[in-house]
């Protein structure tokens, strides 16, 4: 990928990423026509990703070890999503990684009062902003996997695509229309090739 074009322009958001930032985290590693892209490749890229997803203030630096923990959490979430999709048990290390992120910045229960009245608002410990960011991502994933949207969590069925999304209806199989069009074009090409002399 050339240096001038931001990698964010080379992928379309998938259904559910607007509601669950953990989906965006899992989808931060994806394939494009010219190879694998990792939006968390290095501390600077991981910092940018966290800032863009409002999980970390821009003024807070991120070191290489913290960026590595973010990538570990991403791969753990991918493994947990795969286990959820297959109906099997998750790998123990994936579950341990999620639980470690949840424990690294424990939340403090608070009562918040808004226009709708009182609500409980658990706030993560902000003494370590990077750990708090991982906590928020892990908590978001735990909410997704245990909530009402868990049944809609699915992996894109397009060959070569490894992104996860929330199905808006039962028949949806692809994360974006781009993936669906690619699959349909490949089928049409194979059909033409199979019938030509």
């Amino acid at each position: 990928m050339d240096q001038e074009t931001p990698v964010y322009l080379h992928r379309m958001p998938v259904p559910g990423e607007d509601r669950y930032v953990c989906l965006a985290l899992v989808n931060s590693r994806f394939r494009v026509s010219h190879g694998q892209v990792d939006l968390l490749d290095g501390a600077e890229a991981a910092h940018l990703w966290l800032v863009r997803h409002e999980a970390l203030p821009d003024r807070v630096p991120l070191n290489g070890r913290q960026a590595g923990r973010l990538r570990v959490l991403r791969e753990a979430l991918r493994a947990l999503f795969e286990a959820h999709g297959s109906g099997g048990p998750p790998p123990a290390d994936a579950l341990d990684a999620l639980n470690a992120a949840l424990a690294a910045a424990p939340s403090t229960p608070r009562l918040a009062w808004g226009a709708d009245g009182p609500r409980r608002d658990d706030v993560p410990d902000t003494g370590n902003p990077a750990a708090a960011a991982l906590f928020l991502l892990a908590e978001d994933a735990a909410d997704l996997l245990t909530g009402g949207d868990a049944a809609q969590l699915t992996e894109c069925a397009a060959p070569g695509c490894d992104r996860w999304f929330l199905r808006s209806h039962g028949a949806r199989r692809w994360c974006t229309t781009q993936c669906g069009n690619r699959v349909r074009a490949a089928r049409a090409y194979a059909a033409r090739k199979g019938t030509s002399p």
Side-chain angles (χ1 to χ4, degrees):
M1 183 163 295
D2 62 58
Q3 294 296 327
E4 284 113 39
T5 306
V7 74
Y8 276 89
L9 298 179
H10 291 276
R11 70 183 281 276
M12 299 170 65
V14 301
E17 284 185 357
D18 58 333
R19 293 179 19 221
Y20 294 98
V21 72
C22 64
L23 275 175
L25 176 63
V26 168
N27 293 333
S28 66
R29 180 175 54 79
F30 58 95
R31 291 185 195 116
V32 291
S33 59
H34 52 277
Q36 185 83 12
V37 174
D38 186 350
L39 299 178
L40 307 179
D41 189 20
E44 187 176 325
H47 179 263
L48 177 63
W49 189 93
L50 286 168
V51 169
R52 284 192 174 179
H53 288 87
E54 300 176 354
L56 189 70
D58 190 28
R59 61 180 166 63
V60 175
L62 194 71
N63 63 38
R65 191 180 82 236
Q66 293 164 329
R69 287 184 182 148
L70 180 61
R71 287 188 297 274
V72 165
L73 180 60
R74 176 187 59 193
E75 298 311 315
L77 294 183
R78 183 174 291 278
L80 292 170
F81 287 2
E82 289 169 357
H84 175 74
S86 70
D93 60 339
L95 200 52
D96 289 345
L98 177 95
N99 287 327
L102 287 171
S107 62
T108 303
R110 303 237 188 251
L111 182 66
W113 210 286
D116 299 338
R119 74 177 186 285
R120 186 181 175 122
D121 202 14
D122 294 347
V123 180
D125 175 13
T126 56
N128 180 344
L134 292 180
F135 169 85
L136 290 172
L137 291 163
E139 183 180 47
D140 189 56
D143 288 346
L144 172 57
L145 288 167
T146 61
D149 289 328
Q152 275 62 55
L153 181 63
T154 191
E155 189 173 16
C156 183
C161 184
D162 54 1
R163 293 189 290 175
W164 286 81
F165 68 100
L166 294 182
R167 283 191 321 266
S168 51
H169 54 80
R172 184 171 187 145
R173 297 178 46 210
W174 303 296
C175 64
T176 62
T177 54
Q178 187 179 27
C179 275
N181 290 341
R182 201 167 26 101
V183 169
R184 285 188 283 278
R187 284 185 194 150
Y189 176 76
R192 276 195 318 271
K193 189 175 177 184
T195 58
S196 63

